[in-house]
């Protein structure tokens, strides 16, 4: 009896936690896989990533997976079962030292091994900034292609999670997009995560792969179980529209889709929503084509607005004569990522809706 | 076999037993039956917390002084005059290798002089000499197999020279001309050669150290019999990357040699302002990696130490060598070292402990070398260096648009556009740019 009471109490508490955790109001919008990719299975984002690494390790015996706490399956369970399957020499823990992890990964890749390095949170990638920006990104260039670390992929959990505060919520992609030589990729769901991660691992350039941690469990899709790759540097038009182009990536893409839905139903504005997917080098053609059609552009990301990647997208001089209104950026504020104020910090769907209204009402 | 014997039997008893325990692969998570709770805890601490080092409880409150352990001694074979300390010393070195090492030291010294002067004349933009550290570089590289991978810092030109990197290639790199295999992208002295297994140098200090560990791990998995040696200075050892690298090499058991050139200065900073402990060698024990400190101006000692270290590395036992030496030259052509050290100090080192003179004495005493050979070789080297130098000077700079190559394996669209933009710009404004020095666009 007491036990039952305890269980019920716990459940009530859990519901309370849930309501806090999803304060940012993300509604995950699942995608459909290309039917030509064959048999599918339900996977959340964690499982899709695990599946991608599993396939990568199975198809290339030089592949090693390493980082803090990956051996027992990782703090987000993305690497569960891989050590048992591939052995301790291929899946192993490292000391807690991000610059060491990145440098070690470069060294493996220099000798032709495939290296999948995990940084536990993107917030903690900064100790490795020097290794990534001064070393990994410049290896091929500076040596005249005598040496390269193209077989390095760095995975890191990324983005808001409802209660991550300053150091479990950051979206540092813009820091890296200022570095020629890197590829920076952010998936929006399990199907994509698997295809894009396999592409990153097999790509001949160092890649940073950011995994939206809010979606690890919340995002479930029917993911093809086979080996497939999703092309890098290709944006995807997730929803067609004719009045406004909305560009985003990762978790925020779902916020944008949500806002587009509301805008359509309540104010009759048709939004075209584009998932950028690869942030560096980015697919300007897909975005420009859409903006030429709609004449309006909104870019939205969780990271702070000043020098965020939206600034780069909005200054491309490709659509000047097609723009009916100034380009709008809906982003995080220029503050560190706060804990208790998260619902007010994030670029919510309401802020995107407001931006849509302003664009449509814009008077020359 | 002998190396194995040394490795396992010169250890103290506790280390020996723990080694054997390791070798028998007793899983560390098995709980043993113990007589007392104290025994249980000591066993736990020993097996799980202290890398199989036997700990004891003590009731004596005693804070351990940093000088608790004796200073690590400096291994040498000859004295500063080039005499064998042990008159019956059995030299483990062929005449052929000895001569090659010596000739390389001479060549390096002369090349340094010519290139240093050429920078002073404004012919190349930058240079950095190896003066005083020729033995540390060449003695260590000579003790490796040619296929062992070397990561350097930037004062290891002698290593690449020993491996047979052609003279003109050094010059092409310093001039950044069209024949530079590095594509003319980096500052002078940032050499690299995949053919000679010498990873391209970068300016960032100590970044090569965790990379060397990763490469060593790859070799270990491939079981290809190769090891990795990474050079760095005592200043770079203060970087976080050095800490990360040694710690990872230890926990991941990598076939790597960390080779520190402790030359007393990091630009203007003396070692007293760089660390407070027993040099760099003193750090190794804390990381659980093997260590030897060697007289860096004693070519034979450096060679022997590196050869023994290579044996250890082959057993996946990482090891640190600290070579004690002195930076006789300025830090670089951008530095005037008289601003922070006296000429007198430099001269005393030059007179009392010059690695080249020291080894020359050894060779002459063994009748492997004489004054005439010295003169002939110096003239020949001088001629070859000048020839390579003048040849490289005449080669035009690379194609301007190759500036966009190798950022990525393929060229992304935005880079193609930028390349075209520059080409177009040069069509219109070429007369304002140093076009004539570069290969046609």
């Amino acid at each position: 009896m007491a036990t039952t009471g305890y269980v019920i109490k716990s459940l009530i508490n859990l519901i309370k936690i849930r309501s806090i955790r999803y304060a940012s109001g993300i509604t995950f919008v699942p995608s459909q896989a290309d039917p030509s990719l064959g048999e599918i299975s339900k996977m959340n984002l964690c499982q899709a990533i695990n599946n991608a690494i599993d396939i990568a390790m199975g198809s290339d015996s030089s592949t090693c997976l390493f980082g803090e706490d990956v051996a027992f399956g990782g703090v987000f369970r993305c690497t569960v079962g891989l050590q048992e399957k591939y052995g301790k020499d291929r899946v192993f823990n490292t000391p807690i030292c991000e610059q060491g992890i990145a440098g070690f990964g470069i060294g493996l890749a220099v000798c032709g091994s495939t290296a999948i390095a995990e940084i536990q949170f993107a917030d903690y990638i900064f100790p490795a900034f020097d290794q990534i920006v001064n070393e990994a990104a410049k290896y091929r260039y500076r040596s005249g292609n005598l040496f390269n670390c193209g077989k390095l992929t760095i995975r890191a959990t990324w983005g808001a999670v409802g209660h991550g505060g300053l150091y479990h919520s950051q979206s540092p992609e813009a820091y890296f997009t200022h570095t020629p030589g890197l590829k920076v990729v952010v998936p929006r769901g399990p199907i994509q995560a698997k295809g894009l991660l396999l592409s990153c691992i097999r790509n001949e350039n160092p890649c940073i792969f950011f995994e939206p941690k809010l979606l690890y469990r919340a995002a479930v899709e029917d993911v093809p179980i086979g080996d497939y790759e999703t092309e890098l540097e290709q944006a995807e038009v997730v929803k067609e529209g004719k009045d406004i182009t909305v560009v985003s990536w990762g978790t925020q893409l779902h916020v944008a889709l949500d806002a587009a839905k509301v805008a359509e139903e309540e104010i009759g504005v048709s939004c075209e929503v584009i998932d950028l997917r690869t942030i560096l080098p980015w697919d300007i053609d897909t975005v420009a084509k859409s903006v030429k059609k709609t004449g309006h552009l909104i870019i939205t990301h969780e990271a702070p607005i000043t020098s965020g990647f939206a600034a780069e997208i909005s200054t491309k001089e490709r659509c000047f004569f097609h723009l009916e209104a100034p380009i709008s950026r809906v982003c995080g504020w220029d503050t560190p990522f706060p804990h208790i104020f998260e619902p007010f910090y994030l670029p919510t769907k309401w802020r995107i809706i407001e931006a849509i209204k302003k664009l449509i009402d814009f008077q020359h | 076999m002998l190396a194995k014997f040394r490795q396992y039997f010169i250890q103290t008893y506790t280390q020996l037993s723990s080694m054997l325990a390791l070798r028998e692969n007793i899983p560390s998570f098995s709980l043993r039956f113990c007589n007392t709770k104290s025994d249980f805890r000591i066993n736990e601490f020993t097996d799980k917390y202290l890398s199989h080092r036997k700990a004891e409880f003590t009731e004596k409150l005693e804070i351990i002084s940093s000088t608790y352990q004796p200073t690590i001694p400096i291994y040498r074979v000859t004295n500063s005059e080039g005499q064998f300390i042990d008159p019956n010393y059995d030299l483990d070195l062929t005449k052929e290798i000895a001569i090659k090492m010596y000739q390389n030291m001479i060549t390096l010294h002369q090349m340094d002089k010519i290139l240093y002067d050429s920078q002073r004349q404004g012919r190349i933009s930058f240079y950095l000499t190896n003066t005083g550290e020729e033995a540390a570089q060449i003695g260590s590289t000579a003790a490796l197999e040619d296929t062992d991978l070397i990561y350097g810092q930037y004062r290891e030109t002698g290593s690449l020279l020993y491996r047979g990197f052609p003279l003109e290639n050094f010059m092409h790199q310093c001039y950044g001309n069209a024949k530079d295999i590095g594509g003319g992208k980096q500052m002078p002295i940032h050499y690299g050669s995949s053919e000679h297994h010498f990873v391209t140098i970068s300016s960032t200090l100590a970044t090569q150290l965790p990379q060397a560990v990763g490469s060593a791990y790859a070799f270990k998995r491939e079981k290809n019999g190769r090891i990795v040696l990474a050079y760095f200075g005592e200043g770079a050892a203060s970087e976080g990357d050095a800490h990360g690298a040694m710690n990872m090499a230890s926990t991941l058991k990598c076939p790597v040699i960390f080779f520190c050139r402790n030359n007393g200065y990091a630009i203007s900073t003396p070692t007293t302002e760089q660390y407070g402990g027993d040099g760099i060698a003193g750090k190794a024990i804390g990381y659980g990696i093997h260590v030897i400190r060697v007289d860096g101006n004693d070519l034979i000692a450096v060679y022997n130490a590196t050869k023994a270290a290579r044996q250890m590395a082959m057993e996946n036992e990482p090891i640190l060598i600290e070579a004690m030496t002195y930076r006789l030259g300025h830090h670089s052509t951008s530095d005037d070292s008289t601003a922070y050290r006296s000429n007198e100090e430099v001269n005393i080192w030059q007179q009392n402990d010059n690695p080249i003179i020291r080894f020359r004495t050894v060779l002459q005493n063994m009748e492997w070398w004489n004054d005439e050979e010295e003169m002939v070789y110096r003239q020949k080297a001088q001629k070859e260096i000048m020839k390579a130098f003048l040849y490289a000077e005449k080669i035009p700079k690379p194609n301007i648009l190759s500036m966009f190559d190798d950022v990525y394996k393929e060229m992304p669209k935005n880079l193609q556009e930028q390349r075209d933009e520059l080409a177009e710009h040069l069509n219109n404004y070429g007369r304002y740019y140093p076009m004539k020095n570069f290969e046609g666009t």
Side-chain angles (χ1 to χ4, degrees), chain B residues 36-147:
Chain B
T36 68
K37 286 182 180 171
S38 285
D39 282 354
F40 155 75
R41 288 173 63 219
I42 281 294
N43 286 334
E44 284 285 287
F45 290 145
T46 298
D47 282 353
K48 295 181 187 171
Y49 294 52
L50 303 172
S51 317
H52 304 278
R53 286 169 181 76
K54 183 113 173 83
E56 297 289 354
F57 286 115
T58 177
E59 288 69 50
K60 193 162 117 200
L61 194 162
E62 186 187 17
I63 291 171
I64 307 292
S65 155
S66 71
T67 56
Y68 170 74
Q69 283 171 318
T71 305
I72 294 170
I74 306 165
Y75 165 69
R76 63 174 183 173
V77 174
T78 62
N79 62 16
S80 301
E81 282 75 47
Q83 315 291 339
F84 286 107
I85 311 284
D86 170 5
N88 302 319
Y89 178 77
D90 187 11
L91 187 63
D92 178 27
L93 194 61
T94 64
K95 180 178 174 180
E96 188 192 3
I97 290 178
I99 303 279
K100 185 183 170 188
M101 288 196 290
Y102 179 68
Q103 291 180 339
N104 270 244
M105 288 206 285
I106 298 284
T107 305
L108 175 62
H109 188 67
Q110 290 186 312
M111 184 165 83
D112 273 350
K113 202 173 162 347
I114 287 166
L115 285 168
Y116 183 86
D117 292 343
S118 81
Q119 193 281 336
R120 284 291 174 250
Q121 296 161 6
R123 294 160 97 166
I124 59 173
S125 64
F126 177 81
Y127 196 68
L128 192 145
T129 65
N130 303 276
T131 319
E133 298 178 49
E134 295 90 347
Q137 299 171 19
I138 289 164
S140 49
T141 298
L144 300 177
E145 295 294 322
D146 281 347
T147 54

Side-chain angles (χ1 to χ4, degrees), chain A residues 49-293:
Chain A
I49 287 177
N50 185 289
N51 185 231
I53 300 172
D54 189 359
I55 288 170
M57 296 195 81
S59 61
D60 170 3
S61 64
S62 77
T63 311
C64 290
L65 169 72
F66 51 93
E68 294 156 21
D69 305 301
V70 299
F72 89 116
V75 294
F76 283 98
R77 318 310 294 143
C78 287
T79 56
V80 167
L82 295 171
Q83 189 182 59
E84 291 75 17
K85 188 165 176 181
Y86 295 106
K88 288 181 177 177
D89 68 318
R90 295 184 60 189
V91 180
F92 50 92
N93 291 337
T94 62
I96 303 176
C97 181
E98 286 77 13
Q99 61 196 104
I101 293 167
F104 182 90
I106 293 168
L108 273 176
V110 163
C111 290
S113 294
T114 300
I116 309 172
E118 178 179 306
I119 300 291
Q120 209 160 67
F121 288 87
D123 314 59
Y124 307 136
I125 205 167
F126 299 110
F129 201 68
D130 186 39
Q131 283 286 355
I132 296 169
V133 166
N134 275 329
E135 293 288 315
K138 299 172 172 57
Y139 232 91
R140 192 187 295 275
Y141 187 78
R142 73 182 185 206
S143 68
N145 204 18
L146 293 173
F147 295 94
N148 74 81
C149 62
K151 286 178 177 281
L152 170 67
T153 302
I154 297 175
R155 301 170 42 240
T157 65
W158 170 94
V161 67
H163 51 104
L166 280 76
Y167 307 112
H168 297 83
S169 310
Q170 291 180 56
S171 305
E173 62 273 22
Y175 290 103
F176 296 102
T177 56
H178 199 53
T179 305
L182 298 174
K183 297 204 172 176
V184 181
V185 178
V186 187
R188 73 168 181 276
I191 295 169
Q192 273 212 354
K194 179 177 169 182
L196 289 170
L197 180 54
L198 276 166
S199 284
C200 282
I201 291 169
R202 291 163 179 171
N203 191 277
E204 291 287 339
N205 300 285
C207 297
I208 304 177
F209 187 80
F210 287 124
E211 300 165 8
K213 68 178 90 66
L214 186 70
L215 304 180
Y216 272 143
R217 307 249 175 281
V220 180
E221 286 173 341
D222 290 322
V223 181
I225 56 172
D227 183 344
Y228 65 94
E229 292 171 32
T230 306
E231 204 174 338
L232 301 180
E233 296 157 64
Q234 295 284 322
E236 182 189 352
V237 180
V238 179
K239 181 193 161 298
E240 304 236 331
K242 56 183 184 19
D243 301 327
I244 289 187
T245 302
V246 184
V247 174
S248 191
W249 50 90
T251 322
Q252 192 64 11
L253 201 274
H254 302 284
V255 181
L257 282 169
D258 208 2
K261 200 167 133 213
V262 174
E264 207 126 308
E265 288 164 2
E266 298 185 10
I267 46 177
V269 176
S270 156
C271 293
E272 181 143 301
V273 181
I274 296 178
D275 182 1
L276 202 58
R277 304 201 288 193
T278 302
I279 319 299
L280 183 76
W282 65 289
D283 178 1
I284 181 169
D285 294 342
T286 301
V287 175
K289 188 177 156 201
S290 174
V291 173
K292 279 176 182 164
K293 178 175 73 176

